[in-house]
PDB file of all heavy atoms in Angstrom:
ATOM      1  N   ASP A 693       0.806  -1.223   0.000  1.00  0.00           N
ATOM      2  CA  ASP A 693       0.000   0.000   0.000  1.00  0.00           C
ATOM      3  C   ASP A 693       0.843   1.279   0.000  1.00  0.00           C
ATOM      4  O   ASP A 693       0.281   2.384  -0.040  1.00  0.00           O
ATOM      5  CB  ASP A 693      -0.921   0.005   1.220  1.00  0.00           C
ATOM      6  CG  ASP A 693      -1.955  -1.102   1.162  1.00  0.00           C
ATOM      7  OD1 ASP A 693      -2.330  -1.476   0.030  1.00  0.00           O
ATOM      8  OD2 ASP A 693      -2.373  -1.597   2.219  1.00  0.00           O
ATOM      9  N   TYR A 694       2.153   1.138   0.056  1.00  0.00           N
ATOM     10  CA  TYR A 694       3.016   2.316   0.085  1.00  0.00           C
ATOM     11  C   TYR A 694       3.147   2.915  -1.319  1.00  0.00           C
ATOM     12  O   TYR A 694       2.726   2.305  -2.316  1.00  0.00           O
ATOM     13  CB  TYR A 694       4.384   1.956   0.665  1.00  0.00           C
ATOM     14  CG  TYR A 694       4.366   1.884   2.187  1.00  0.00           C
ATOM     15  CD1 TYR A 694       3.542   0.986   2.849  1.00  0.00           C
ATOM     16  CD2 TYR A 694       5.156   2.728   2.952  1.00  0.00           C
ATOM     17  CE1 TYR A 694       3.496   0.921   4.234  1.00  0.00           C
ATOM     18  CE2 TYR A 694       5.128   2.677   4.341  1.00  0.00           C
ATOM     19  CZ  TYR A 694       4.293   1.775   4.972  1.00  0.00           C
ATOM     20  OH  TYR A 694       4.255   1.733   6.339  1.00  0.00           O
ATOM     21  N   ARG A 695       3.734   4.105  -1.405  1.00  0.00           N
ATOM     22  CA  ARG A 695       3.773   4.834  -2.673  1.00  0.00           C
ATOM     23  C   ARG A 695       5.196   5.189  -3.074  1.00  0.00           C
ATOM     24  O   ARG A 695       6.086   5.298  -2.232  1.00  0.00           O
ATOM     25  CB  ARG A 695       2.966   6.137  -2.570  1.00  0.00           C
ATOM     26  CG  ARG A 695       1.495   5.967  -2.307  1.00  0.00           C
ATOM     27  CD  ARG A 695       0.820   7.325  -2.309  1.00  0.00           C
ATOM     28  NE  ARG A 695      -0.624   7.244  -2.116  1.00  0.00           N
ATOM     29  CZ  ARG A 695      -1.432   8.285  -2.197  1.00  0.00           C
ATOM     30  NH1 ARG A 695      -0.944   9.485  -2.467  1.00  0.00           N
ATOM     31  NH2 ARG A 695      -2.729   8.134  -2.016  1.00  0.00           N
ATOM     32  N   ALA A 696       5.359   5.430  -4.384  1.00  0.00           N
ATOM     33  CA  ALA A 696       6.610   5.988  -4.923  1.00  0.00           C
ATOM     34  C   ALA A 696       6.199   6.913  -6.059  1.00  0.00           C
ATOM     35  O   ALA A 696       6.285   6.565  -7.239  1.00  0.00           O
ATOM     36  CB  ALA A 696       7.546   4.894  -5.410  1.00  0.00           C
ATOM     37  N   SER A 697       5.715   8.100  -5.694  1.00  0.00           N
ATOM     38  CA  SER A 697       5.071   8.989  -6.667  1.00  0.00           C
ATOM     39  C   SER A 697       6.017   9.962  -7.360  1.00  0.00           C
ATOM     40  O   SER A 697       5.677  10.527  -8.396  1.00  0.00           O
ATOM     41  CB  SER A 697       3.954   9.783  -5.979  1.00  0.00           C
ATOM     42  OG  SER A 697       4.466  10.502  -4.868  1.00  0.00           O
ATOM     43  N   LEU A 698       7.211  10.190  -6.795  1.00  0.00           N
ATOM     44  CA  LEU A 698       8.125  11.177  -7.380  1.00  0.00           C
ATOM     45  C   LEU A 698       8.898  10.589  -8.560  1.00  0.00           C
ATOM     46  O   LEU A 698       9.293   9.425  -8.539  1.00  0.00           O
ATOM     47  CB  LEU A 698       9.109  11.671  -6.322  1.00  0.00           C
ATOM     48  CG  LEU A 698       8.523  12.579  -5.239  1.00  0.00           C
ATOM     49  CD1 LEU A 698       9.549  12.856  -4.163  1.00  0.00           C
ATOM     50  CD2 LEU A 698       8.017  13.876  -5.840  1.00  0.00           C
ATOM     51  N   ALA A 699       9.114  11.426  -9.568  1.00  0.00           N
ATOM     52  CA  ALA A 699       9.873  10.994 -10.747  1.00  0.00           C
ATOM     53  C   ALA A 699      11.306  10.658 -10.341  1.00  0.00           C
ATOM     54  O   ALA A 699      11.939  11.408  -9.591  1.00  0.00           O
ATOM     55  CB  ALA A 699       9.880  12.094 -11.804  1.00  0.00           C
ATOM     56  N   PRO A 700      11.844   9.521 -10.810  1.00  0.00           N
ATOM     57  CA  PRO A 700      13.216   9.131 -10.449  1.00  0.00           C
ATOM     58  C   PRO A 700      14.240  10.180 -10.878  1.00  0.00           C
ATOM     59  O   PRO A 700      14.092  10.828 -11.911  1.00  0.00           O
ATOM     60  CB  PRO A 700      13.423   7.814 -11.196  1.00  0.00           C
ATOM     61  CG  PRO A 700      12.045   7.286 -11.422  1.00  0.00           C
ATOM     62  CD  PRO A 700      11.178   8.493 -11.628  1.00  0.00           C
ATOM     63  N   GLN A 701      15.282  10.334 -10.066  1.00  0.00           N
ATOM     64  CA  GLN A 701      16.379  11.253 -10.350  1.00  0.00           C
ATOM     65  C   GLN A 701      17.669  10.455 -10.550  1.00  0.00           C
ATOM     66  O   GLN A 701      17.757   9.285 -10.207  1.00  0.00           O
ATOM     67  CB  GLN A 701      16.561  12.220  -9.177  1.00  0.00           C
ATOM     68  CG  GLN A 701      15.320  13.019  -8.830  1.00  0.00           C
ATOM     69  CD  GLN A 701      15.073  14.148  -9.806  1.00  0.00           C
ATOM     70  OE1 GLN A 701      15.792  15.132  -9.847  1.00  0.00           O
ATOM     71  NE2 GLN A 701      14.034  14.005 -10.611  1.00  0.00           N
ATOM     72  N   LEU A 702      18.698  11.124 -11.086  1.00  0.00           N
ATOM     73  CA  LEU A 702      20.020  10.502 -11.287  1.00  0.00           C
ATOM     74  C   LEU A 702      19.893   9.196 -12.081  1.00  0.00           C
ATOM     75  O   LEU A 702      20.356   8.134 -11.665  1.00  0.00           O
ATOM     76  CB  LEU A 702      20.713  10.239  -9.954  1.00  0.00           C
ATOM     77  CG  LEU A 702      20.872  11.442  -9.005  1.00  0.00           C
ATOM     78  CD1 LEU A 702      21.585  11.013  -7.731  1.00  0.00           C
ATOM     79  CD2 LEU A 702      21.615  12.567  -9.677  1.00  0.00           C
ATOM     80  N   ILE A 703      19.256   9.289 -13.237  1.00  0.00           N
ATOM     81  CA  ILE A 703      18.978   8.099 -14.042  1.00  0.00           C
ATOM     82  C   ILE A 703      20.278   7.442 -14.522  1.00  0.00           C
ATOM     83  O   ILE A 703      21.161   8.105 -15.073  1.00  0.00           O
ATOM     84  CB  ILE A 703      18.100   8.447 -15.256  1.00  0.00           C
ATOM     85  CG1 ILE A 703      16.761   9.039 -14.779  1.00  0.00           C
ATOM     86  CG2 ILE A 703      17.867   7.228 -16.134  1.00  0.00           C
ATOM     87  CD1 ILE A 703      15.937   8.115 -13.941  1.00  0.00           C
ATOM     88  N   THR A 704      20.390   6.117 -14.319  1.00  0.00           N
ATOM     89  CA  THR A 704      21.536   5.331 -14.782  1.00  0.00           C
ATOM     90  C   THR A 704      21.034   4.205 -15.679  1.00  0.00           C
ATOM     91  O   THR A 704      20.250   3.359 -15.234  1.00  0.00           O
ATOM     92  CB  THR A 704      22.303   4.724 -13.598  1.00  0.00           C
ATOM     93  OG1 THR A 704      22.763   5.772 -12.744  1.00  0.00           O
ATOM     94  CG2 THR A 704      23.499   3.917 -14.083  1.00  0.00           C
ATOM     95  N   PRO A 705      21.456   4.152 -16.942  1.00  0.00           N
ATOM     96  CA  PRO A 705      21.018   3.065 -17.827  1.00  0.00           C
ATOM     97  C   PRO A 705      21.621   1.723 -17.387  1.00  0.00           C
ATOM     98  O   PRO A 705      22.727   1.667 -16.854  1.00  0.00           O
ATOM     99  CB  PRO A 705      21.563   3.484 -19.201  1.00  0.00           C
ATOM    100  CG  PRO A 705      21.883   4.939 -19.080  1.00  0.00           C
ATOM    101  CD  PRO A 705      22.269   5.150 -17.654  1.00  0.00           C
ATOM    102  N   TRP A 706      20.874   0.635 -17.629  1.00  0.00           N
ATOM    103  CA  TRP A 706      21.361  -0.715 -17.363  1.00  0.00           C
ATOM    104  C   TRP A 706      21.793  -1.350 -18.689  1.00  0.00           C
ATOM    105  O   TRP A 706      21.105  -1.231 -19.698  1.00  0.00           O
ATOM    106  CB  TRP A 706      20.272  -1.579 -16.758  1.00  0.00           C
ATOM    107  CG  TRP A 706      19.846  -1.189 -15.379  1.00  0.00           C
ATOM    108  CD1 TRP A 706      20.301  -0.152 -14.623  1.00  0.00           C
ATOM    109  CD2 TRP A 706      18.832  -1.831 -14.596  1.00  0.00           C
ATOM    110  NE1 TRP A 706      19.655  -0.109 -13.412  1.00  0.00           N
ATOM    111  CE2 TRP A 706      18.754  -1.128 -13.364  1.00  0.00           C
ATOM    112  CE3 TRP A 706      18.000  -2.925 -14.794  1.00  0.00           C
ATOM    113  CZ2 TRP A 706      17.859  -1.504 -12.353  1.00  0.00           C
ATOM    114  CZ3 TRP A 706      17.112  -3.297 -13.791  1.00  0.00           C
ATOM    115  CH2 TRP A 706      17.052  -2.598 -12.584  1.00  0.00           C
ATOM    116  N   SER A 707      22.912  -2.055 -18.642  1.00  0.00           N
ATOM    117  CA  SER A 707      23.408  -2.714 -19.847  1.00  0.00           C
ATOM    118  C   SER A 707      23.758  -4.175 -19.567  1.00  0.00           C
ATOM    119  O   SER A 707      24.067  -4.543 -18.430  1.00  0.00           O
ATOM    120  CB  SER A 707      24.652  -2.001 -20.383  1.00  0.00           C
ATOM    121  OG  SER A 707      24.335  -0.729 -20.902  1.00  0.00           O
ATOM    122  N   ILE A 708      23.705  -4.974 -20.610  1.00  0.00           N
ATOM    123  CA  ILE A 708      24.198  -6.352 -20.543  1.00  0.00           C
ATOM    124  C   ILE A 708      25.719  -6.297 -20.629  1.00  0.00           C
ATOM    125  O   ILE A 708      26.280  -5.543 -21.438  1.00  0.00           O
ATOM    126  CB  ILE A 708      23.615  -7.190 -21.693  1.00  0.00           C
ATOM    127  CG1 ILE A 708      22.085  -7.268 -21.545  1.00  0.00           C
ATOM    128  CG2 ILE A 708      24.228  -8.585 -21.734  1.00  0.00           C
ATOM    129  CD1 ILE A 708      21.386  -7.961 -22.700  1.00  0.00           C
ATOM    130  N   ALA A 709      26.399  -7.069 -19.796  1.00  0.00           N
ATOM    131  CA  ALA A 709      27.861  -7.042 -19.748  1.00  0.00           C
ATOM    132  C   ALA A 709      28.446  -8.301 -20.358  1.00  0.00           C
ATOM    133  O   ALA A 709      27.960  -9.408 -20.131  1.00  0.00           O
ATOM    134  CB  ALA A 709      28.332  -6.896 -18.300  1.00  0.00           C
ATOM    135  N   VAL A 710      29.501  -8.108 -21.156  1.00  0.00           N
ATOM    136  CA  VAL A 710      30.332  -9.203 -21.645  1.00  0.00           C
ATOM    137  C   VAL A 710      31.777  -8.876 -21.267  1.00  0.00           C
ATOM    138  O   VAL A 710      32.058  -7.793 -20.755  1.00  0.00           O
ATOM    139  CB  VAL A 710      30.177  -9.397 -23.174  1.00  0.00           C
ATOM    140  CG1 VAL A 710      28.748  -9.765 -23.528  1.00  0.00           C
ATOM    141  CG2 VAL A 710      30.582  -8.136 -23.933  1.00  0.00           C
ATOM    142  N   THR A 711      32.684  -9.785 -21.526  1.00  0.00           N
ATOM    143  CA  THR A 711      34.069  -9.559 -21.113  1.00  0.00           C
ATOM    144  C   THR A 711      34.681  -8.366 -21.834  1.00  0.00           C
ATOM    145  O   THR A 711      34.263  -8.007 -22.938  1.00  0.00           O
ATOM    146  CB  THR A 711      34.930 -10.798 -21.399  1.00  0.00           C
ATOM    147  OG1 THR A 711      34.885 -11.078 -22.794  1.00  0.00           O
ATOM    148  CG2 THR A 711      34.439 -11.994 -20.611  1.00  0.00           C
ATOM    149  N   ALA A 712      35.676  -7.762 -21.196  1.00  0.00           N
ATOM    150  CA  ALA A 712      36.342  -6.596 -21.784  1.00  0.00           C
ATOM    151  C   ALA A 712      36.952  -6.934 -23.130  1.00  0.00           C
ATOM    152  O   ALA A 712      36.958  -6.119 -24.054  1.00  0.00           O
ATOM    153  CB  ALA A 712      37.412  -6.077 -20.828  1.00  0.00           C
ATOM    154  N   SER A 713      37.476  -8.157 -23.280  1.00  0.00           N
ATOM    155  CA  SER A 713      38.119  -8.563 -24.534  1.00  0.00           C
ATOM    156  C   SER A 713      37.120  -8.744 -25.666  1.00  0.00           C
ATOM    157  O   SER A 713      37.499  -8.809 -26.836  1.00  0.00           O
ATOM    158  CB  SER A 713      38.900  -9.862 -24.331  1.00  0.00           C
ATOM    159  OG  SER A 713      38.028 -10.882 -23.879  1.00  0.00           O
ATOM    160  N   GLU A 714      35.840  -8.823 -25.350  1.00  0.00           N
ATOM    161  CA  GLU A 714      34.809  -9.023 -26.370  1.00  0.00           C
ATOM    162  C   GLU A 714      34.306  -7.704 -26.951  1.00  0.00           C
ATOM    163  O   GLU A 714      33.422  -7.688 -27.801  1.00  0.00           O
ATOM    164  CB  GLU A 714      33.640  -9.797 -25.754  1.00  0.00           C
ATOM    165  CG  GLU A 714      32.540 -10.210 -26.715  1.00  0.00           C
ATOM    166  CD  GLU A 714      33.017 -11.101 -27.846  1.00  0.00           C
ATOM    167  OE1 GLU A 714      34.021 -11.820 -27.649  1.00  0.00           O
ATOM    168  OE2 GLU A 714      32.418 -11.057 -28.935  1.00  0.00           O
ATOM    169  N   ASN A 715      34.881  -6.569 -26.512  1.00  0.00           N
ATOM    170  CA  ASN A 715      34.460  -5.252 -26.993  1.00  0.00           C
ATOM    171  C   ASN A 715      34.588  -5.173 -28.514  1.00  0.00           C
ATOM    172  O   ASN A 715      35.683  -5.310 -29.065  1.00  0.00           O
ATOM    173  CB  ASN A 715      35.311  -4.161 -26.349  1.00  0.00           C
ATOM    174  CG  ASN A 715      34.805  -2.765 -26.690  1.00  0.00           C
ATOM    175  OD1 ASN A 715      33.672  -2.602 -27.133  1.00  0.00           O
ATOM    176  ND2 ASN A 715      35.647  -1.776 -26.494  1.00  0.00           N
ATOM    177  N   GLY A 716      33.479  -4.953 -29.197  1.00  0.00           N
ATOM    178  CA  GLY A 716      33.468  -4.887 -30.651  1.00  0.00           C
ATOM    179  C   GLY A 716      33.438  -6.235 -31.329  1.00  0.00           C
ATOM    180  O   GLY A 716      33.407  -6.318 -32.557  1.00  0.00           O
ATOM    181  N   GLY A 717      33.430  -7.308 -30.551  1.00  0.00           N
ATOM    182  CA  GLY A 717      33.424  -8.653 -31.108  1.00  0.00           C
ATOM    183  C   GLY A 717      32.037  -9.121 -31.504  1.00  0.00           C
ATOM    184  O   GLY A 717      31.036  -8.399 -31.408  1.00  0.00           O
ATOM    185  N   GLY A 718      31.971 -10.383 -31.908  1.00  0.00           N
ATOM    186  CA  GLY A 718      30.713 -10.927 -32.404  1.00  0.00           C
ATOM    187  C   GLY A 718      29.619 -10.963 -31.366  1.00  0.00           C
ATOM    188  O   GLY A 718      28.453 -10.649 -31.658  1.00  0.00           O
ATOM    189  N   LEU A 719      29.972 -11.354 -30.130  1.00  0.00           N
ATOM    190  CA  LEU A 719      28.949 -11.431 -29.082  1.00  0.00           C
ATOM    191  C   LEU A 719      28.445 -10.037 -28.709  1.00  0.00           C
ATOM    192  O   LEU A 719      27.239  -9.833 -28.500  1.00  0.00           O
ATOM    193  CB  LEU A 719      29.520 -12.146 -27.856  1.00  0.00           C
ATOM    194  CG  LEU A 719      28.520 -12.428 -26.730  1.00  0.00           C
ATOM    195  CD1 LEU A 719      27.362 -13.284 -27.227  1.00  0.00           C
ATOM    196  CD2 LEU A 719      29.227 -13.095 -25.550  1.00  0.00           C
ATOM    197  N   ASP A 720      29.347  -9.073 -28.623  1.00  0.00           N
ATOM    198  CA  ASP A 720      28.984  -7.689 -28.339  1.00  0.00           C
ATOM    199  C   ASP A 720      27.981  -7.189 -29.380  1.00  0.00           C
ATOM    200  O   ASP A 720      26.928  -6.620 -29.046  1.00  0.00           O
ATOM    201  CB  ASP A 720      30.249  -6.834 -28.330  1.00  0.00           C
ATOM    202  CG  ASP A 720      29.972  -5.356 -28.068  1.00  0.00           C
ATOM    203  OD1 ASP A 720      28.835  -5.005 -27.691  1.00  0.00           O
ATOM    204  OD2 ASP A 720      30.901  -4.544 -28.237  1.00  0.00           O
ATOM    205  N   ARG A 721      28.288  -7.426 -30.650  1.00  0.00           N
ATOM    206  CA  ARG A 721      27.416  -6.941 -31.719  1.00  0.00           C
ATOM    207  C   ARG A 721      26.076  -7.672 -31.742  1.00  0.00           C
ATOM    208  O   ARG A 721      25.029  -7.069 -31.964  1.00  0.00           O
ATOM    209  CB  ARG A 721      28.118  -7.065 -33.066  1.00  0.00           C
ATOM    210  CG  ARG A 721      29.310  -6.138 -33.203  1.00  0.00           C
ATOM    211  CD  ARG A 721      29.845  -6.097 -34.620  1.00  0.00           C
ATOM    212  NE  ARG A 721      28.832  -5.646 -35.582  1.00  0.00           N
ATOM    213  CZ  ARG A 721      29.095  -5.241 -36.807  1.00  0.00           C
ATOM    214  NH1 ARG A 721      30.361  -5.206 -37.233  1.00  0.00           N
ATOM    215  NH2 ARG A 721      28.136  -4.863 -37.616  1.00  0.00           N
TER     216      ARG A 721
END
């Protein structure tokens, strides 16, 4: 029954993570 009526602040996008070495690789794409 509680509320959360205020618009969120400090928005942070969520991303799927793969290994650093996969940057630009097939799985990343």
Side-chain angles (χ1 to χ4, degrees):
D693 294 331
Y694 280 60
R695 297 183 178 186
S697 56
L698 289 173
Q701 303 284 290
L702 306 180
I703 300 299
T704 301
W706 292 1
S707 291
I708 297 174
V710 298
T711 59
S713 58
E714 186 59 27
N715 187 17
L719 186 59
D720 179 11
R721 293 190 59 164

